[in-house]
Amino acid sequence: MDITTLIGIMVSFGLVFISIMVGGDGTWFINYPSIMIVLGGTMGATLLAYPLSEVLGVFKVAKNVFLHRSQMPADLIPLMSGFAKKARQEGILSFESQLKEIKDPFLARGIQMAIDGMESSSIEEVMSIEIEYLEMRHRLGSEIFSTMGGFAPAIGMLGTIIGLVQMLMQMEDPSQIGAPMAVALLTTFYGTLLANLLFLPVAGKLNTRSKQEVLVKQMILEGVISIQSGDNHRVVEQKLKAFIAPKARMTADAQPVKA
Amino acid sequence: MDITTLIGIMVSFGLVFISIMVGGDGTWFINYPSIMIVLGGTMGATLLAYPLSEVLGVFKVAKNVFLHRSQMPADLIPLMSGFAKKARQEGILSFESQLKEIKDPFLARGIQMAIDGMESSSIEEVMSIEIEYLEMRHRLGSEIFSTMGGFAPAIGMLGTIIGLVQMLMQMEDPSQIGAPMAVALLTTFYGTLLANLLFLPVAGKLNTRSKQEVLVKQMILEGVISIQSGDNHRVVEQKLKAFIAPKARMTADAQPVKA
Amino acid sequence: MDITTLIGIMVSFGLVFISIMVGGDGTWFINYPSIMIVLGGTMGATLLAYPLSEVLGVFKVAKNVFLHRSQMPADLIPLMSGFAKKARQEGILSFESQLKEIKDPFLARGIQMAIDGMESSSIEEVMSIEIEYLEMRHRLGSEIFSTMGGFAPAIGMLGTIIGLVQMLMQMEDPSQIGAPMAVALLTTFYGTLLANLLFLPVAGKLNTRSKQEVLVKQMILEGVISIQSGDNHRVVEQKLKAFIAPKARMTADAQPVKA
Amino acid sequence: MDITTLIGIMVSFGLVFISIMVGGDGTWFINYPSIMIVLGGTMGATLLAYPLSEVLGVFKVAKNVFLHRSQMPADLIPLMSGFAKKARQEGILSFESQLKEIKDPFLARGIQMAIDGMESSSIEEVMSIEIEYLEMRHRLGSEIFSTMGGFAPAIGMLGTIIGLVQMLMQMEDPSQIGAPMAVALLTTFYGTLLANLLFLPVAGKLNTRSKQEVLVKQMILEGVISIQSGDNHRVVEQKLKAFIAPKARMTADAQPVKA
Amino acid sequence: MDITTLIGIMVSFGLVFISIMVGGDGTWFINYPSIMIVLGGTMGATLLAYPLSEVLGVFKVAKNVFLHRSQMPADLIPLMSGFAKKARQEGILSFESQLKEIKDPFLARGIQMAIDGMESSSIEEVMSIEIEYLEMRHRLGSEIFSTMGGFAPAIGMLGTIIGLVQMLMQMEDPSQIGAPMAVALLTTFYGTLLANLLFLPVAGKLNTRSKQEVLVKQMILEGVISIQSGDNHRVVEQKLKAFIAPKARMTADAQPVKA
């Protein structure tokens, strides 16, 4: 599992937990109806806004994002430059036997299209459309979480207003408002907690991860087109290095070529 | 009816209802003047901002969106690829007799233009304009609902200020402010409720639905152009698969070709 | 006058008026210094941000928008398609005598340029620039109103802070704060009222109206270019129908051709 | 000096001043530490975000914007159309002697490049880059002021929190909190005042002024390219009129040609 | 070290420090659990949203930004124009020996590609991609800081709600709420302080610095392409001057050519 994520969750939730336990009775913050209204209201509003399949899908995507590491862009460079060398020496058709060894399915599809003799502009069009709509699907995932991050505090506030109205309606002795006021505040507490320590950071994570994946795919697209046009492997390397940070380029150089 | 929508509405409104009934007297939350000022003010501001026909139209669109399912993009692929095969074997004119069987009017118009011998670039222009302005009309619908979602809480707050001013003006005994303060808060309650559990989620739904419809239409456009240019049916399939998620592609393969 | 606008204003302001009269003494809400500071402060900030001529101009535009109806896009289609027929039969120069009968000055200028023999690309450039800068001027109008809609509540809050400071400074008996607190809240009331029931809806209206006008002009541009290229009147019809909703297309068909 | 600006400042600050003087003792609102923390904190945060030279530069730009009037776009049309006539009659080289009389340096540079025989596409590139980066510098200026408009209320609130903490820490008699609470509110007062009556309107002004200047420069670019291509002076007029409002075009016609 | 930055930090933090010391006991504002929850919660949420390497990387970038000055765009003009002169006189290959003296690695890579005989369009593509992805990496850095600037106040508010609930739950004598209320406000104080005097200004700084670096790189790209095409050194100068403010152009003229 992604260690940073674990640290992130433990640090933020841990500190909230500690500050709750230190300042008084921890059970003050456990109120099932309040939890229910915030979580349920947020999910309800989200299910009204997005189809069920998308909402369920996004949780699976989110899980994967936290469990698996994404491909390093720098690792692509020696791979693609090796391909370019091979293509110039043995011809693009020589990849046919090797096609199954290529793990990245997007790269494999690109090479397949080149082998099939599709025109360069058609390959670029198909691969660009694929990247564009991949981005759109990723953006939808990130959007669902930030939508939840927007609804949660609003519904928390709604719960607090309900609590305040109920408290004010039956208030007889102003000095006794402490406990009901505290309970009314709990929905705002849950809403703020969920939004800022869970929904919004996860939306950010999906966004970051999407950008990284799109970068890798852009490099593959550039590389496949370059290989098909018969570019020299130094030129392919040059082009792909432009995508990554100067410091990361060293890493790319240091690595042995592997297919 | 779209089951997710029903679940979404029942969960969120149900939980609000329960938390209102459990915490005291449910009639505390029913205040007709407050409901009237929030709903009426929001509608008034919306009618000032948008023409009546658009506002009425958007409610009809919203109803349809919740009652009908949208077309699955994956279903298009075997259909279009079958068309491509037929076009290469029997010529584009062979579609003339079949035209009435095509249910999607956008696809039918595209094929009709190809039969009429319009140039590829003209067909693309007409169909692109249609997609662009369809998106614009959809965006307007989503915009009207998010406008209402913006006005509702603001007008709720306006009602609360009116209530507070009235309460403060006739306040004699500070210990008696409970009930009037609660009543003043009700407009904020209604505004927040309507915005977050109704208007904003519906705006989101219209948006999501629009993206799906535009995706289907983009695929039809790509397919019609590809068919007219006489592309091989494998190439058409390749191009259209780029629009959808890898997982959905399997579904597309599994389905039999149907016209 | 645009009936929707009238309804919108009457409903929203009427409801606010009723809820003020019902809940107590209506004069509580009339406070000239408060009205003055909110209105004057908002105008002052707006005049600092925009030139006087623009601010005055926008009020005139706003008045027109509410008094006049805009052209229906669907009405353009039979007109342009009739023009296309005539141009193919009698040549583009045959429009010379008819030019004065064309009411829309943008269309007249387009036809004039075609008669003058300007190149298609030059006509498109001139008309596109005109549309682009028309949009820019419209956007400025809408922007001025939404700027006022942003300043009004902020200046209302400023007035409330001034009132609170004055109240707190001379507070002797905490039980007597009712009336001054109510008065302090009035500027927030005015600011919220003006922003949400007047400035922001009018900004929205200008925006909606602008999109409609631009749509009509885009259709005229497309039509003039198409007519000049000698397109068949069925093609012109096809192209223009792509701009409007399928339902509105029927209307376009039903109407007799009129020049 | 720009009279609108003067009116704007006098109206808004005047009204705030009056409402302060009328409601009590004016000195209640003068608190040097509060002014210092809001102004200083805002400047500190701004200097952290932008280089000193830019911040100082923007104040100079702001001063100029308020002191000088910008060029009227309509005035350009007879000038450019006169140039076009001359260029067709006497050749582009005939401008060489006149070059020093052209007051606008951007126009002079454009004509100079035409005289130098630079290609049309190169001239367009150089002038477009100049416009683009001019816009970027203008946007920076506007951004600095809106950044200050964002920091001022936030730092005002920070000051109020500091004041509240200090008040609460030494509170013994709750009935005596009036004065310290009022003082705590003053930083919020200053922050809101500066943001809404000064920083944000000035940011808006810089923005409006920039759009006007860019419009003039776009017209010059269009005109120079058109003159160099040897366009008829009626065509140049036609093209430039497309940039301005129909009403302003009359003004352009009414004016005598001046170089 | 960048003197403006130092001034910015000293002024803003100094004023906050003074206003804390003057108004009472400075230790009131030191509360380790409150600092911990705000800082830790913000870092936790940020680590959930971004990979650890990026978060650490951004702090290093931020440090460099404050320690080093960026290159002045005006300094580039005489350098590039000198290069253009040399390229026309001695040929592009004459740069081979000089390549190691070029300090800017982006410029060196551009010249290297020109020496290698890569096509103009390929050089432009590689350099444009490099600029685009450099901007993307910079934007990520700025984004991380503005994300922290968004989380900090929200988590400060979360801490305040926790404190309020604990206070209300054990409240017996309403007149004793002063101190616990003050402590509850401290997390909001820290969150607002960190966001507005640290995170958001640093995000702004990274943004400003990025724009400057991108400007320099755009000028280098334009210059290298221009030099490779054999443009006259006056034309190169002309083109590059279009990027900078008219006033800065004088500086560019005044400086002696240096390689």
Side-chain angles (χ1 to χ4, degrees), chain A residues 104-167:
Chain A
D104 187 308
F106 185 70
L107 175 54
R109 265 196 303 283
I111 299 283
Q112 177 69 64
M113 286 188 282
I115 295 173
D116 288 355
M118 264 173 79
E119 269 175 69
S120 176
S121 64
S122 288
I123 299 183
E124 193 168 350
E125 198 196 339
V126 171
M127 294 180 88
S128 296
I129 289 180
E130 182 152 354
I131 294 178
E132 190 189 329
Y133 285 89
L134 175 83
E135 252 190 299
M136 217 181 87
R137 286 190 301 272
H138 280 178
R139 217 180 300 127
L140 180 66
S142 172
E143 231 183 84
I144 290 180
F145 274 103
S146 41
T147 298
M148 291 197 288
F151 282 137
I155 288 166
M157 209 192 84
L158 193 70
T160 297
I161 297 173
I162 294 176
L164 285 179
V165 169
Q166 291 170 339
M167 178 194 88

Coordinates of all heavy atoms in Angstrom, one line a residue, chain A residues 104-167:
Chain A
D104 N 2.1 -2.6 -21.0 CA 1.2 -1.5 -21.0 C 0.2 -1.7 -22.2 O 0.7 -1.7 -23.4 CB 2.0 -0.2 -21.2 CG 1.1 1.0 -21.1 OD1 0.0 1.0 -21.8 OD2 1.4 1.9 -20.3
P105 N -1.1 -1.9 -22.0 CA -2.0 -2.1 -23.1 C -2.1 -1.0 -24.1 O -2.3 -1.2 -25.3 CB -3.3 -2.4 -22.4 CG -3.2 -1.9 -21.0 CD -1.7 -1.8 -20.7
F106 N -1.9 0.3 -23.6 CA -2.0 1.4 -24.5 C -0.9 1.4 -25.5 O -1.0 1.6 -26.7 CB -2.0 2.7 -23.6 CG -2.2 4.0 -24.4 CD1 -3.4 4.3 -25.0 CD2 -1.2 4.9 -24.6 CE1 -3.6 5.4 -25.7 CE2 -1.4 6.0 -25.3 CZ -2.6 6.3 -25.8
L107 N 0.3 1.1 -25.0 CA 1.5 1.0 -25.8 C 1.4 -0.1 -26.8 O 1.6 0.0 -28.0 CB 2.8 0.8 -24.9 CG 4.1 0.6 -25.7 CD1 4.4 1.7 -26.6 CD2 5.2 0.5 -24.6
A108 N 0.9 -1.3 -26.3 CA 0.7 -2.4 -27.2 C -0.3 -2.1 -28.4 O 0.0 -2.4 -29.5 CB 0.1 -3.6 -26.4
R109 N -1.4 -1.4 -28.0 CA -2.4 -1.0 -29.1 C -1.7 -0.1 -30.1 O -2.0 -0.2 -31.3 CB -3.6 -0.3 -28.5 CG -4.7 -1.3 -28.2 CD -6.0 -0.6 -28.0 NE -6.0 0.4 -26.9 CZ -6.0 0.1 -25.6 NH1 -6.1 -1.2 -25.2 NH2 -6.0 1.0 -24.7
G110 N -0.9 0.9 -29.6 CA -0.2 1.8 -30.5 C 0.7 1.1 -31.5 O 0.7 1.3 -32.7
I111 N 1.6 0.2 -30.9 CA 2.5 -0.6 -31.7 C 1.7 -1.5 -32.7 O 2.0 -1.6 -33.9 CB 3.4 -1.5 -30.9 CG1 4.2 -0.7 -29.9 CG2 4.3 -2.4 -31.7 CD1 5.4 0.0 -30.5
Q112 N 0.6 -2.1 -32.3 CA -0.2 -2.9 -33.1 C -0.7 -2.1 -34.3 O -0.7 -2.6 -35.5 CB -1.4 -3.5 -32.3 CG -2.4 -4.3 -33.1 CD -1.8 -5.6 -33.5 OE1 -1.4 -6.5 -32.7 NE2 -1.6 -5.8 -34.8
M113 N -1.2 -0.9 -34.1 CA -1.7 -0.1 -35.2 C -0.6 0.2 -36.1 O -0.8 0.3 -37.4 CB -2.3 1.2 -34.6 CG -3.7 0.9 -34.0 SD -4.6 2.5 -33.6 CE -3.7 2.9 -32.0
A114 N 0.6 0.5 -35.6 CA 1.8 0.7 -36.5 C 2.1 -0.5 -37.4 O 2.3 -0.4 -38.6 CB 3.0 1.1 -35.7
I115 N 2.1 -1.7 -36.7 CA 2.3 -2.9 -37.5 C 1.2 -3.1 -38.6 O 1.5 -3.5 -39.7 CB 2.3 -4.1 -36.5 CG1 3.4 -4.1 -35.5 CG2 2.3 -5.5 -37.3 CD1 3.4 -5.1 -34.4
D116 N 0.0 -2.8 -38.2 CA -1.1 -2.9 -39.1 C -1.0 -2.0 -40.3 O -1.9 -2.1 -41.2 CB -2.5 -2.7 -38.4 CG -2.8 -3.8 -37.5 OD1 -2.1 -4.8 -37.4 OD2 -3.9 -3.7 -36.7
G117 N -0.1 -1.1 -40.2 CA 0.1 -0.2 -41.3 C -0.9 1.0 -41.4 O -1.1 1.6 -42.4
M118 N -1.5 1.3 -40.2 CA -2.4 2.5 -40.2 C -1.6 3.7 -40.4 O -0.4 3.8 -40.0 CB -3.2 2.5 -38.9 CG -4.6 1.9 -38.9 SD -5.3 1.9 -37.2 CE -5.9 3.6 -37.1
E119 N -2.2 4.7 -41.0 CA -1.5 6.0 -41.2 C -1.1 6.7 -39.9 O -1.9 6.6 -39.0 CB -2.3 6.9 -42.1 CG -2.1 6.8 -43.6 CD -3.1 7.7 -44.3 OE1 -3.0 8.9 -44.2 OE2 -4.1 7.1 -44.9
S120 N 0.0 7.4 -39.9 CA 0.4 8.1 -38.8 C -0.7 9.0 -38.2 O -0.9 9.1 -37.0 CB 1.7 8.9 -39.2 OG 2.1 9.7 -38.1
S121 N -1.4 9.7 -39.1 CA -2.4 10.7 -38.6 C -3.6 9.9 -37.9 O -4.1 10.4 -37.0 CB -2.9 11.6 -39.7 OG -3.5 10.8 -40.7
S122 N -3.9 8.8 -38.5 CA -5.0 8.0 -37.9 C -4.6 7.4 -36.5 O -5.4 7.5 -35.6 CB -5.4 6.8 -38.8 OG -6.0 7.3 -39.9
I123 N -3.3 6.9 -36.4 CA -2.9 6.4 -35.1 C -2.9 7.6 -34.1 O -3.4 7.4 -33.0 CB -1.4 5.9 -35.2 CG1 -1.4 4.7 -36.2 CG2 -0.9 5.5 -33.9 CD1 0.0 4.1 -36.4
E124 N -2.4 8.7 -34.5 CA -2.4 9.9 -33.6 C -3.9 10.2 -33.2 O -4.1 10.5 -32.0 CB -1.8 11.1 -34.2 CG -1.5 12.2 -33.2 CD -0.6 13.3 -33.7 OE1 0.0 13.1 -34.8 OE2 -0.4 14.3 -33.0
E125 N -4.8 10.2 -34.1 CA -6.2 10.5 -33.8 C -6.8 9.5 -32.8 O -7.3 9.9 -31.8 CB -7.0 10.5 -35.1 CG -8.3 11.2 -35.0 CD -9.3 10.9 -36.1 OE1 -8.8 10.4 -37.2 OE2 -10.5 11.1 -35.9
V126 N -6.6 8.2 -33.1 CA -7.2 7.2 -32.2 C -6.6 7.3 -30.8 O -7.3 7.3 -29.8 CB -6.9 5.8 -32.8 CG1 -7.3 4.7 -31.8 CG2 -7.7 5.6 -34.1
M127 N -5.2 7.4 -30.7 CA -4.6 7.5 -29.4 C -4.9 8.8 -28.7 O -5.1 8.8 -27.4 CB -3.1 7.3 -29.6 CG -2.7 6.0 -30.1 SD -0.9 5.7 -30.2 CE -0.4 5.2 -28.6
S128 N -5.1 9.9 -29.4 CA -5.4 11.2 -28.8 C -6.8 11.1 -28.2 O -7.1 11.6 -27.1 CB -5.4 12.3 -29.8 OG -4.1 12.5 -30.2
I129 N -7.8 10.5 -29.0 CA -9.1 10.4 -28.5 C -9.1 9.5 -27.2 O -9.8 9.9 -26.2 CB -10.0 9.7 -29.6 CG1 -10.3 10.7 -30.7 CG2 -11.4 9.3 -29.0 CD1 -11.1 10.2 -31.8
E130 N -8.4 8.5 -27.2 CA -8.3 7.6 -26.1 C -7.8 8.4 -24.8 O -8.4 8.3 -23.8 CB -7.4 6.4 -26.3 CG -7.4 5.4 -25.2 CD -7.1 4.0 -25.5 OE1 -7.1 3.7 -26.7 OE2 -7.0 3.2 -24.6
I131 N -6.8 9.2 -25.0 CA -6.2 10.0 -23.9 C -7.3 11.0 -23.4 O -7.5 11.1 -22.2 CB -4.9 10.7 -24.3 CG1 -3.8 9.7 -24.6 CG2 -4.5 11.7 -23.2 CD1 -2.5 10.3 -25.1
E132 N -7.9 11.7 -24.4 CA -8.9 12.7 -24.0 C -10.0 12.1 -23.2 O -10.4 12.7 -22.2 CB -9.4 13.3 -25.3 CG -10.3 14.5 -25.1 CD -11.0 14.9 -26.5 OE1 -10.4 14.7 -27.5 OE2 -12.1 15.4 -26.4
Y133 N -10.6 11.0 -23.7 CA -11.7 10.4 -22.9 C -11.3 9.7 -21.6 O -12.1 9.6 -20.7 CB -12.6 9.5 -23.9 CG -13.4 10.4 -24.8 CD1 -12.8 10.8 -26.0 CD2 -14.6 10.9 -24.4 CE1 -13.5 11.7 -26.8 CE2 -15.3 11.8 -25.2 CZ -14.8 12.2 -26.4 OH -15.5 13.0 -27.2
L134 N -10.0 9.2 -21.6 CA -9.5 8.7 -20.3 C -9.5 9.8 -19.3 O -10.0 9.7 -18.2 CB -8.1 8.2 -20.5 CG -7.4 7.7 -19.3 CD1 -7.8 6.3 -18.9 CD2 -5.9 7.8 -19.4
E135 N -9.0 11.0 -19.7 CA -8.9 12.2 -18.8 C -10.4 12.5 -18.4 O -10.6 12.9 -17.2 CB -8.4 13.4 -19.6 CG -7.0 13.7 -19.2 CD -6.6 15.1 -19.8 OE1 -6.5 15.2 -21.0 OE2 -6.3 16.0 -19.0
M136 N -11.3 12.5 -19.3 CA -12.7 12.8 -19.0 C -13.2 11.9 -17.9 O -13.9 12.3 -16.9 CB -13.6 12.8 -20.2 CG -14.6 13.8 -20.2 SD -15.6 13.7 -21.7 CE -16.9 12.5 -21.1
R137 N -13.0 10.6 -18.1 CA -13.4 9.6 -17.1 C -12.8 9.8 -15.7 O -13.4 9.8 -14.7 CB -13.2 8.2 -17.5 CG -14.2 7.7 -18.6 CD -14.1 6.2 -18.9 NE -12.7 5.8 -19.3 CZ -12.3 5.8 -20.6 NH1 -13.1 6.2 -21.5 NH2 -11.1 5.4 -20.8
H138 N -11.5 10.1 -15.7 CA -10.7 10.4 -14.5 C -11.3 11.6 -13.8 O -11.5 11.7 -12.6 CB -9.3 10.7 -14.8 CG -8.5 9.4 -15.0 ND1 -7.1 9.4 -15.3 CD2 -8.8 8.1 -14.9 CE1 -6.7 8.2 -15.4 NE2 -7.7 7.4 -15.2
R139 N -11.5 12.7 -14.7 CA -12.1 13.9 -14.1 C -13.4 13.7 -13.4 O -13.7 14.2 -12.4 CB -12.2 15.0 -15.2 CG -11.8 16.4 -14.7 CD -11.9 17.4 -15.7 NE -11.1 17.1 -16.9 CZ -11.4 17.1 -18.1 NH1 -12.7 17.3 -18.5 NH2 -10.6 16.9 -19.1
L140 N -14.2 12.8 -14.0 CA -15.5 12.5 -13.4 C -15.3 11.9 -12.0 O -16.0 12.3 -11.0 CB -16.2 11.5 -14.3 CG -17.6 11.0 -13.7 CD1 -18.6 12.2 -13.7 CD2 -18.2 9.9 -14.6
G141 N -14.3 11.0 -11.8 CA -14.0 10.4 -10.5 C -13.7 11.5 -9.5 O -14.2 11.5 -8.4
S142 N -12.7 12.3 -9.9 CA -12.3 13.4 -9.0 C -13.4 14.3 -8.7 O -13.6 14.8 -7.5 CB -11.2 14.2 -9.7 OG -10.8 15.3 -9.0
E143 N -14.3 14.6 -9.7 CA -15.5 15.4 -9.5 C -16.4 14.9 -8.5 O -17.0 15.6 -7.7 CB -16.2 15.5 -10.8 CG -16.5 16.9 -11.3 CD -17.3 16.8 -12.6 OE1 -18.5 16.6 -12.6 OE2 -16.6 16.8 -13.7
I144 N -16.7 13.6 -8.5 CA -17.6 12.9 -7.6 C -17.1 13.2 -6.2 O -17.9 13.6 -5.3 CB -17.8 11.4 -7.9 CG1 -18.6 11.3 -9.2 CG2 -18.5 10.7 -6.8 CD1 -18.8 9.8 -9.7
F145 N -15.8 13.0 -5.9 CA -15.3 13.2 -4.6 C -15.4 14.7 -4.2 O -15.7 15.0 -3.0 CB -13.9 12.6 -4.4 CG -13.9 11.2 -4.1 CD1 -13.6 10.2 -5.0 CD2 -14.2 10.8 -2.8 CE1 -13.6 8.9 -4.7 CE2 -14.2 9.5 -2.4 CZ -14.0 8.5 -3.4
S146 N -15.1 15.6 -5.1 CA -15.2 17.0 -4.7 C -16.6 17.4 -4.5 O -16.9 18.3 -3.7 CB -14.4 18.0 -5.5 OG -14.5 17.7 -6.9
T147 N -17.5 16.8 -5.3 CA -19.0 17.1 -5.0 C -19.3 16.6 -3.6 O -20.0 17.4 -2.9 CB -19.8 16.3 -6.0 OG1 -19.5 16.8 -7.3 CG2 -21.3 16.5 -5.8
M148 N -18.9 15.5 -3.2 CA -19.1 15.0 -1.8 C -18.5 15.9 -0.8 O -19.1 16.3 0.2 CB -18.6 13.6 -1.7 CG -19.5 12.6 -2.5 SD -19.2 10.9 -1.9 CE -17.6 10.5 -2.5
G149 N -17.3 16.4 -1.1 CA -16.6 17.4 -0.3 C -17.3 18.7 -0.2 O -17.2 19.5 0.8
G150 N -18.2 19.0 -1.2 CA -19.0 20.2 -1.1 C -20.3 20.0 -0.4 O -20.7 20.9 0.4
F151 N -20.9 18.8 -0.6 CA -22.2 18.6 0.1 C -22.0 18.3 1.6 O -22.9 18.8 2.4 CB -22.9 17.4 -0.6 CG -23.6 17.7 -1.9 CD1 -23.4 16.8 -3.0 CD2 -24.3 18.8 -2.0 CE1 -24.1 17.1 -4.2 CE2 -25.0 19.1 -3.2 CZ -24.8 18.3 -4.3
A152 N -20.9 17.6 2.0 CA -20.8 17.2 3.4 C -20.9 18.4 4.4 O -21.7 18.3 5.3 CB -19.5 16.4 3.6
P153 N -20.1 19.5 4.2 CA -20.3 20.6 5.2 C -21.7 21.2 5.1 O -22.2 21.7 6.1 CB -19.2 21.6 4.8 CG -18.3 20.9 3.8 CD -19.1 19.8 3.2
A154 N -22.2 21.3 3.9 CA -23.5 22.0 3.8 C -24.6 21.2 4.5 O -25.5 21.7 5.2 CB -23.9 22.1 2.3
I155 N -24.5 19.9 4.4 CA -25.5 19.0 5.0 C -25.2 19.0 6.5 O -26.1 18.9 7.3 CB -25.6 17.6 4.4 CG1 -26.2 17.8 3.0 CG2 -26.3 16.6 5.2 CD1 -26.1 16.7 2.1
G156 N -23.9 19.1 6.9 CA -23.6 19.2 8.3 C -24.3 20.5 8.9 O -24.8 20.5 10.0
M157 N -24.2 21.6 8.1 CA -24.8 22.8 8.6 C -26.3 22.7 8.7 O -27.0 23.2 9.6 CB -24.5 23.9 7.6 CG -24.4 25.3 8.3 SD -24.4 26.6 7.0 CE -26.1 26.8 6.6
L158 N -26.9 22.0 7.7 CA -28.3 21.7 7.7 C -28.7 21.0 9.0 O -29.7 21.4 9.7 CB -28.7 20.8 6.5 CG -30.2 20.7 6.2 CD1 -30.7 22.0 5.7 CD2 -30.4 19.6 5.2
G159 N -27.9 20.0 9.4 CA -28.2 19.3 10.6 C -28.1 20.2 11.9 O -28.9 20.1 12.8
T160 N -27.1 21.1 11.8 CA -26.9 22.0 13.0 C -28.1 22.9 13.1 O -28.6 23.2 14.2 CB -25.6 22.8 12.8 OG1 -24.5 21.9 12.8 CG2 -25.5 23.8 13.9
I161 N -28.6 23.4 11.9 CA -29.8 24.3 12.0 C -31.0 23.5 12.5 O -31.8 24.0 13.4 CB -30.2 24.8 10.5 CG1 -29.0 25.7 10.0 CG2 -31.5 25.6 10.6 CD1 -29.2 26.1 8.6
I162 N -31.2 22.2 12.1 CA -32.3 21.4 12.7 C -32.1 21.4 14.2 O -33.1 21.6 14.9 CB -32.3 20.0 12.0 CG1 -32.6 20.1 10.6 CG2 -33.3 19.1 12.8 CD1 -32.6 18.8 9.8
G163 N -30.9 21.1 14.6 CA -30.7 21.0 16.1 C -30.9 22.3 16.8 O -31.5 22.3 17.9
L164 N -30.5 23.4 16.2 CA -30.7 24.7 16.8 C -32.2 25.0 16.9 O -32.7 25.5 18.0 CB -30.0 25.8 16.0 CG -28.5 25.9 16.1 CD1 -28.0 27.0 15.2 CD2 -28.1 26.1 17.6
V165 N -33.0 24.7 15.9 CA -34.4 25.0 15.9 C -35.1 24.2 17.0 O -35.8 24.7 17.8 CB -35.1 24.7 14.5 CG1 -36.6 24.7 14.6 CG2 -34.6 25.7 13.5
Q166 N -34.7 22.9 17.1 CA -35.3 22.1 18.2 C -34.9 22.5 19.5 O -35.7 22.6 20.5 CB -34.8 20.6 17.9 CG -35.5 20.0 16.7 CD -34.9 18.7 16.3 OE1 -33.8 18.3 16.7 NE2 -35.6 17.9 15.5
M167 N -33.7 23.0 19.7 CA -33.2 23.5 21.0 C -34.0 24.8 21.4 O -34.5 24.9 22.5 CB -31.7 23.8 20.9 CG -31.1 24.3 22.2 SD -29.5 25.0 21.8 CE -29.9 26.7 21.3

